[in-house]
Amino acid sequence: IQAPSWIGDLVMATSSFADIRGAFPGAHIAILVKPGRDGVLAGCDFADEVIVQRSPRGPRSLLGEASALRRGRFDLAVLFSDSFRSAALIRLAGVTRRVGYARNLRTPLLTTAVRYPGPGGAKTPEPMPIRYARLLEAIGVPPGDGRPRLAVTPEEKERVARRRAELGVGADERLIGLNPGASYGSSKIWPPEHFARLGDLLFERTGLRSIILVGPGEEAIADAMERRMKHRPISTARSIVPLDELKPLVRDLALLVTTDTGPRQYAVAFRVPIVVVMGPTDPRYSNANLDETIILRRDELDCIACHHKTCPIDHRCMRWITPDDVMAAVDELDRKLNLTVFRERAPA
């Protein structure tokens, strides 16, 4: 299995990974992931092996990686990535049957080229689990429930317990997660002052502290939020949480407010209540498993879902969503799910 590159897409693909395991219970299944992604899949039971790809550095790197894969003598490859390089790698690795989407001039490299359902095989917006299930149909695997699956290992749990203690978090303290970053680009980022105001409103409503979750390069966003908050949050800016530790940290949140980025899908997998602040991306790519999710968007804007990584105008799609809008969405989640965050108020 060649896994998707983006963290959120990787998590959404785990339901299909489980379906493949169910269809081939006696096979040796290996999942090929980008560097740093292997921790996301740690503890899951749908693969016998997780192989970390080399960072691409030209044709020589590709040939070396293909040679290593060739030693695995794989009979079938399912490519969840649409890149030309992914298909070239699997072809050079000598995999007998190669299934993937007919994109990016790679059809001659595949033995089964699946077409997208748009006109002329065009790629159209649709939930990623549906897109992945279409690949499985090409190998005779019926689609499952489409729900992502993540696991927490005992070692990850122990490391997060130590990290929480270092951050001054009580062993049983419930937290509200604020995830303000986005590796996709600045267009996905909700203003830090909005996040800061929201953190204060949530503390005043629930008595629960917020934890600011950021990745490498996003430390300045967390610092800007922390400076603006009256009620001091917990920040991971000085101790970036790796992707494997992020699983138990998100799993134990009372609520997550996030941009449209990878941790959102972690929360979906663990059924944590979520409010997503979304602007430049099309929600049809991720409109799946929304039972515990509310998505906030300014649908009336002509420029909505532009998919620019940097806003060319004034970032109105994100700026015009207010902290009060998010609080109203949290109230809606409470009415729908009867959130314990409002029933078990922690001492201020």
Side-chain angles (χ1 to χ4, degrees):
I1 299 171
Q2 175 126 43
S5 298
W6 293 103
I7 300 298
D9 291 350
L10 173 60
V11 177
M12 285 189 279
T14 56
S15 60
S16 290
F17 298 168
D19 294 338
I20 292 173
R21 166 54 77 199
F24 301 100
H28 178 90
I29 296 177
I31 300 180
L32 190 64
V33 298
K34 294 287 188 183
R37 309 302 198 251
D38 49 319
V40 178
L41 303 180
C44 294
D45 60 2
F46 37 66
D48 302 286
E49 181 182 11
V50 176
I51 303 171
V52 180
Q53 286 186 253
R54 302 177 185 179
S55 297
R57 293 195 182 97
R60 184 171 297 180
S61 172
L62 182 66
L63 290 171
E65 191 171 359
S67 178
L69 286 176
R70 184 180 288 272
R71 291 193 289 271
R73 299 173 61 192
F74 293 106
D75 303 294
L76 168 66
V78 183
L79 283 66
F80 286 74
S81 167
D82 280 357
S83 73
F84 180 86
R85 188 184 191 278
S86 65
L89 173 62
I90 297 303
R91 175 65 182 86
L92 289 169
V95 181
T96 309
R97 187 178 177 196
R98 304 172 300 279
V99 179
Y101 275 108
R103 293 278 294 172
N104 299 318
L105 305 176
R106 63 190 205 153
T107 297
L109 301 174
L110 303 171
T111 58
T112 302
V114 181
R115 291 171 62 85
Y116 280 109
K123 190 175 181 178
T124 56
E126 62 181 342
M128 300 305 287
I130 292 177
R131 178 175 300 176
Y132 299 147
R134 195 177 295 115
L135 288 175
L136 268 57
E137 290 174 4
I139 59 172
V141 176
D145 59 14
R147 285 208 64 90
R149 289 144 168 86
L150 293 179
V152 173
T153 68
E155 193 268 339
E156 290 166 349
K157 186 176 179 180
E158 289 175 10
R159 279 193 284 128
V160 165
R162 290 195 297 269
R163 183 181 293 272
R164 283 170 60 99
E166 291 167 359
L167 291 170
V169 180
D172 298 320
E173 182 179 359
R174 301 294 303 283
L175 300 172
I176 292 173
L178 303 179
N179 181 57
S183 59
Y184 178 86
S186 62
S187 63
K188 277 191 177 185
I189 293 176
W190 199 41
E193 59 270 25
H194 285 7
F195 259 119
R197 174 59 179 156
L198 175 68
D200 285 336
L201 290 173
L202 286 168
F203 180 85
E204 290 160 9
R205 179 79 67 86
T206 69
L208 299 187
R209 291 195 290 170
S210 296
I211 182 167
I212 303 172
L213 303 171
V214 290
E218 298 170 349
E219 295 88 347
I221 301 173
D223 291 345
M225 291 169 58
E226 193 171 4
R227 286 195 304 270
R228 289 172 168 85
M229 292 179 71
K230 294 186 299 182
H231 305 287
R232 189 173 180 84
I234 302 142
S235 175
T236 62
R238 300 295 170 266
S239 181
I240 299 296
V241 180
L243 292 173
D244 57 347
E245 288 186 29
L246 189 62
K247 291 183 294 182
L249 202 55
V250 169
R251 181 194 61 180
D252 295 336
L253 292 175
L255 171 74
L256 177 67
V257 181
T258 179
T259 55
D260 182 28
T261 188
R264 169 192 172 183
Q265 299 303 331
Y266 275 47
V268 171
F270 293 120
R271 307 200 81 129
V272 173
I274 315 159
V275 177
V276 182
V277 184
M278 181 183 288
T281 44
D282 192 319
R284 289 175 290 179
Y285 289 109
S286 54
N287 273 352
N289 303 302
L290 300 178
D291 299 340
E292 292 86 21
T293 301
I294 289 181
I295 297 173
L296 292 179
R297 298 176 76 243
R298 298 301 299 250
D299 291 309
E300 76 278 13
L301 296 175
D302 293 337
C303 59
I304 198 71
C306 67
H307 283 271
H308 289 305
K309 294 188 176 184
T310 303
C311 179
I313 48 172
D314 58 4
H315 208 201
R316 63 187 61 181
C317 67
M318 298 297 279
R319 286 192 307 104
W320 290 4
I321 298 172
T322 69
D324 287 338
D325 292 333
V326 177
M327 288 300 295
V330 173
D331 287 335
E332 184 179 343
L333 273 178
D334 181 32
R335 289 190 293 272
K336 180 180 177 182
L337 303 175
N338 194 25
L339 300 181
T340 58
V341 66
F342 294 120
R343 305 293 173 262
E344 300 172 3
R345 180 181 169 89

